[in-house]
Amino acid sequence: RIVASIEPFKRLCPAVRGHHERYDGRGYPDGLAGEGIPLLARVLGVADALDAMMSPRRYRPARSPVEIDKVLVAESGRQFDPEVVVAFAKVRALVY
């Protein structure tokens, strides 16, 4: 609702809604799978997970780039769109 209330951001609503969907269909809120998840939501899902892993938490330190890459590869095709993971791998040096 917050994103929808800001006119320039309205077009991002499907991405925000779907960024917790999983490529294997076990996510939420709609249980979408694969290409049924909007592309921008699949990209945002990887970006959100990356940000979470890179950020230190009270209960754990930030993960290293090597650890993050292992998680992304392990979850490719399950949590994450494999094509989005491959695309991220091509620009990873810019992020890390």
Side-chain angles (χ1 to χ4, degrees):
R1 289 181 286 197
I2 293 169
V3 172
S5 72
I6 303 168
E7 188 60 40
F9 294 162
K10 278 186 180 182
R11 64 186 180 83
L12 300 175
C13 285
V16 172
R17 178 174 175 86
H19 83 282
H20 284 288
E21 298 288 356
R22 288 176 50 106
Y23 198 74
D24 63 9
R26 295 176 47 216
Y28 65 91
D30 302 311
L32 302 176
E35 306 261 329
I37 304 166
L39 176 59
L40 195 51
R42 289 179 269 150
V43 171
L44 189 57
V46 170
D48 183 48
L50 179 68
D51 178 65
M53 290 186 278
M54 289 177 70
S55 302
R57 302 289 196 231
R58 296 184 108 184
Y59 51 88
R60 63 146 178 89
R63 292 186 178 185
S64 72
V66 171
E67 291 173 309
I68 293 170
D69 290 346
K70 286 180 183 179
V71 170
L72 292 176
V73 169
E75 290 297 320
S76 178
R78 296 186 327 190
Q79 182 175 353
F80 306 120
D81 178 337
E83 291 184 33
V84 175
V85 173
V86 168
F88 170 73
K90 292 178 182 176
V91 298
R92 68 182 290 286
L94 299 172
V95 176
Y96 297 139

